[in-house]
């Protein structure tokens, strides 16, 4: 068996498993520290191939991700945002085709729709320019923690790679994590949900008809929903979320298995979107149906080896925080390496100890937001609550922040945001249960003063 890198000085060599978003960004942080950084990736070089190797939900880049990009390389945010589309809120489409817009922020803050492949290629280019080596078509077979080696398949050979320092950023289905589990070093839980997803593209000539271009479009339908994120060329990436199986024969992926059932379903439930998809039935039948899951791992740090990003804590996509949380992982780990004077074991242990409560919190928030997007965004009382919360943010900017704002537009640890969100919801429950409050009178002075007093009393003003 061929062995690579065994003659390099151990303390200067870092191996990263996975050249996806987190692994590529992490390599930029580490190369700046003077390490010899090697990144192993099972795919061929994505910059040289037009072939899609799997499909994934479009990405929403927000504050945490942007801050990490800037910390890694001051020029990265401008490069990434040059082909990103700002989204200032949700554009809701009801079953009758009526529209309603829900802003993300009372101060016009936005998130950005970005191309996964474009962002990944940008990060790989940046890393290579700074000296990172990428070894594509190197598929991990297994690891041996005792000897700090990895076995990989490459061009028909089994190669042993010395990895005294290893950071596994190889995704929710991490081969490194699975190998460590076999060795009895950790345990993980893959928490699947009943819904899967399928991507359906809206071309540019139809996308220009979907307004505004600067919004996330959502068609909420209770147990299922359709969303569409804008792309830089005016196309949209649509994603259908639907149960895998259901007793109602129209409402599951299992039952939509031919052209007539697909067209009937979209015409009946997404009538204003149905005509936007070119070759709808062909796309639907050809594109894969993927499942959604949270990943919980009981241990991330193993001396000088570490699980990071989705390999440690994969989450469902409904808060738009999977990539942002992974990028924040990279920034926080970089700060810990400084605090621990480049001691990998100390930094890795501190990272896993401090970070897990926050990734558990965002996993819960993502599931809660799925229910909100799917079931509640068209409910009148829910929409009224959101309007009141927005008004409270303006009236009490330092005392009242919405949960969405703290998660999306700040660095507040996810666990702290979740705790304050629970407190705020108890306050809002009291307000919304006030029998004198209705859909039209909340802005009248007497009612507004009444609910403002309740909030001030609850937050200790």
């Amino acid at each position: 068996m061929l062995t690579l890198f065994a003659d390099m000085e151990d303390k200067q060599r870092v191996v990263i498993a996975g050249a996806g978003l987190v692994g590529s960004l992490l390599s930029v942080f580490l190369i700046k520290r003077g390490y010899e950084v090697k990144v192993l990736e099972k795919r061929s070089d994505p910059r040289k191939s037009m072939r899609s190797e799997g499909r994934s939900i479009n990405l929403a880049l927000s504050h945490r991700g942007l801050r990490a990009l800037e910390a890694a390389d001051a020029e990265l945010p401008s490069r990434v945002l040059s082909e990103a589309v700002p989204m200032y809120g949700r554009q809701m489409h009801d079953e009758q085709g009526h529209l309603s817009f829900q802003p993300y922020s009372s101060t016009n803050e936005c998130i950005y729709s970005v191309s996964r492949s474009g962002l990944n290629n940008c990060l790989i280019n940046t890393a290579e320019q700074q000296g990172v080596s990428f070894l594509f078509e190197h598929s991990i077979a297994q690891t041996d923690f005792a000897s700090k080696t990895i076995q990989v398949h490459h061009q028909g050979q089994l190669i042993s790679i010395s990895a005294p320092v290893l950071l596994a950023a190889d995704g929710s289905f991490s081969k490194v994590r699975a190998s460590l589990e076999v060795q009895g070093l950790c345990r993980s839980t893959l928490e699947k949900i009943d819904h899967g997803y399928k991507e359906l593209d809206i071309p540019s000539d139809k996308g220009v008809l979907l307004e505004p271009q600067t919004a996330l479009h959502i068609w909420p339908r209770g147990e299922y929903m359709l969303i569409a994120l804008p792309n830089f060329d005016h196309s949209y990436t649509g994603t259908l979320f639907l149960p895998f199986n259901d007793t109602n024969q129209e409402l599951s992926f299992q039952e939509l298995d031919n052209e007539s059932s697909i067209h009937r379903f979209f015409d009946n439930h997404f009538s204003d979107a149905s005509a936007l998809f070119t070759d709808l039935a062909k796309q639907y039948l050809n594109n894969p149906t993927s499942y959604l899951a949270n990943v919980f791992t009981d241990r991330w740090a193993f001396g000088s080896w570490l699980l990071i990003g989705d390999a440690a804590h994969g989450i469902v996509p409904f808060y738009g925080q999977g990539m942002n949380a992974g990028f924040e992982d990279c920034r926080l780990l970089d700060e810990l390496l400084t605090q621990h004077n480049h001691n990998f074991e100390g930094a890795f242990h501190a990272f896993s100890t401090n970070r897990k409560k926050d990734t558990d919190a965002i996993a819960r928030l993502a599931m809660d937001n799925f229910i909100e997007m799917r079931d509640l965004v068209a409910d009148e009382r829910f929409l009224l609550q959101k309007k009141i919360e927005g008004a409270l943010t303006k009236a009490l900017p330092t005392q009242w922040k919405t949960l969405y704002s703290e998660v999306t537009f700040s660095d507040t640890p996810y666990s702290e945001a979740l705790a304050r969100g629970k407190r705020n919801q108890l306050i809002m429950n009291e307000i919304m249960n006030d029998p004198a409050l209705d859909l039209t009178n909340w802005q009248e002075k007497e009612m507004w003063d009444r609910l403002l007093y309740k909030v001030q009393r609850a937050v200790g003003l």
Side-chain angles (χ1 to χ4, degrees):
M1 183 186 301
L2 180 64
T3 301
L4 298 182
F5 315 144
D7 59 339
M8 295 174 61
E9 190 175 345
D10 282 357
K11 67 179 181 179
Q12 292 298 319
R13 183 174 69 258
V14 176
V15 176
I16 297 174
L21 298 172
V22 171
S24 299
L25 180 62
L26 185 59
S27 74
V28 178
F29 277 105
L30 293 172
I31 197 73
K32 289 170 61 178
R33 291 184 169 274
Y35 301 118
E36 184 85 13
V37 182
K38 306 287 185 182
V39 182
L40 309 176
E41 172 55 52
K42 68 178 181 180
R43 299 171 298 167
S44 59
D45 189 336
R47 299 164 298 176
K48 298 178 181 178
S49 174
M50 296 299 293
R51 181 171 64 89
S52 173
E53 298 193 33
R55 300 176 66 84
S56 57
I57 296 169
N58 242 36
L59 300 172
L61 178 64
S62 56
H63 171 81
R64 295 172 197 267
L66 283 167
R67 184 178 176 194
L69 290 174
E70 184 174 25
D73 186 310
E75 295 183 2
L76 268 175
S78 60
R79 291 178 196 162
V80 172
L81 294 181
S82 67
E83 293 192 356
V85 181
M87 297 185 294
Y88 294 93
R90 302 165 171 169
Q91 179 73 304
M92 313 305 301
H93 301 248
D94 71 14
E95 291 200 66
Q96 290 71 45
H98 300 139
L99 305 177
S100 60
F101 183 74
Q102 299 172 12
Y104 287 135
S105 163
S106 60
T107 56
N108 210 36
E109 292 172 292
C110 69
I111 60 179
Y112 294 90
S113 176
V114 298
S115 159
R116 177 184 291 271
S117 60
L119 176 56
N120 203 170
N121 291 348
C122 176
L123 293 174
I124 292 172
N125 284 334
T126 300
E128 272 194 346
Q129 290 163 9
Q130 298 187 25
V132 175
S133 297
F134 286 84
L135 282 69
F136 295 104
E137 299 179 31
H138 283 66
S139 177
I140 294 173
Q142 61 184 9
T143 70
D144 184 351
F145 179 70
S147 64
K148 299 294 193 299
T149 57
I150 309 171
Q151 284 73 52
V152 300
H153 294 291
H154 177 63
Q155 296 182 347
Q157 285 187 298
L158 185 63
I159 302 171
S160 178
I161 295 178
S162 176
V165 179
L166 172 66
L167 295 106
D170 53 339
S172 294
F173 303 101
S174 169
K175 288 290 187 68
V176 174
R177 186 186 69 234
S179 181
L180 292 172
E181 288 191 72
V182 170
Q183 297 169 69
L185 296 172
C186 66
R187 290 182 298 174
S188 68
T189 302
L190 198 68
E191 183 184 82
K192 294 183 182 179
I193 68 172
D194 295 334
H195 287 64
Y197 72 90
K198 185 185 290 286
E199 288 204 342
L200 302 164
D201 296 325
I202 298 173
S204 301
D205 61 331
K206 300 291 183 65
V208 295
L209 304 175
L210 200 54
E211 294 287 348
Q213 294 276 315
T214 53
L216 166 64
H217 291 258
I218 305 180
W219 291 258
R221 300 294 185 263
E223 281 300 308
Y224 55 98
M225 69 176 178
L226 175 70
I227 70 172
L229 276 76
N231 297 312
F232 191 66
D233 64 354
H234 303 296
S235 66
Y236 281 79
T237 301
T239 308
L240 174 66
F241 297 95
L242 194 66
F244 281 108
N245 301 288
D246 198 280
T247 54
N248 186 328
Q249 291 192 342
E250 265 203 322
L251 304 183
S252 71
F253 281 118
Q254 179 180 357
E255 302 302 329
L256 299 182
D257 58 0
N258 58 65
E259 289 193 15
S260 61
S261 64
I262 293 164
H263 283 294
R264 182 171 61 252
F265 173 74
F266 276 83
D267 289 343
N268 288 346
H269 301 289
F270 307 112
S271 58
D272 63 332
S274 184
L276 298 174
F277 298 100
T278 301
D279 298 325
L280 173 60
K282 182 179 179 181
Q283 280 200 66
Y284 184 98
L285 294 171
N286 288 342
N287 293 349
T289 302
S290 304
Y291 69 81
L292 298 160
N294 293 310
V295 176
F296 299 98
T297 309
D298 67 345
R299 182 182 175 192
W300 302 356
F302 313 85
S304 59
W305 283 18
L306 178 72
L307 302 175
I308 192 168
D310 285 352
H313 55 77
I315 62 173
V316 294
F318 302 113
Y319 223 116
Q321 286 295 303
M323 171 187 63
N324 293 288
F327 282 2
E328 189 173 56
D329 279 358
C330 298
R331 178 182 66 81
L332 294 174
L333 180 60
D334 183 66
E335 292 173 358
L336 286 169
L337 283 169
T338 296
Q339 293 172 24
H340 288 263
N341 196 27
H342 287 228
N343 179 280
F344 285 108
E345 293 193 18
F348 289 0
H349 176 74
F351 174 77
S352 61
T353 301
N354 298 336
R355 183 66 168 158
K356 192 174 189 311
K357 64 181 182 301
D358 293 315
T359 57
D360 285 350
I362 191 57
R364 174 175 174 179
L365 287 167
M367 287 303 301
D368 290 346
N369 208 47
F370 176 41
I371 296 170
E372 176 178 313
M373 292 171 68
R374 187 191 69 191
D375 298 350
L376 300 177
V377 287
D379 180 82
E380 288 185 338
R381 297 292 289 184
F382 174 80
L383 296 179
L384 174 59
Q385 177 177 326
K386 292 300 179 185
K387 290 178 181 178
I388 293 173
E389 287 179 338
L392 288 170
T393 301
K394 289 183 178 180
L396 304 170
T398 59
Q399 293 83 23
W400 184 274
K401 296 182 185 298
T402 66
L403 175 59
Y404 187 88
S405 178
E406 289 215 82
V407 169
T408 308
F409 302 122
S410 83
D411 299 313
T412 302
Y414 292 125
S415 57
E416 293 181 18
L418 175 60
R420 276 199 286 272
K422 289 180 180 178
R423 181 207 67 176
N424 288 358
Q425 188 56 53
L426 291 175
I427 298 170
M428 290 307 302
N429 288 345
E430 182 181 353
I431 289 172
M432 298 305 295
N433 289 331
D434 187 334
L437 177 69
D438 61 39
L439 299 176
T440 61
N441 72 349
W442 69 275
Q443 288 179 298
E444 295 174 3
K445 186 177 187 308
E446 182 178 352
M447 179 54 68
W448 175 252
D449 288 345
R450 179 170 170 167
L451 66 86
L452 192 60
Y453 170 75
K454 289 182 179 180
V455 172
Q456 291 172 322
R457 182 188 61 190
V459 299
L461 294 179

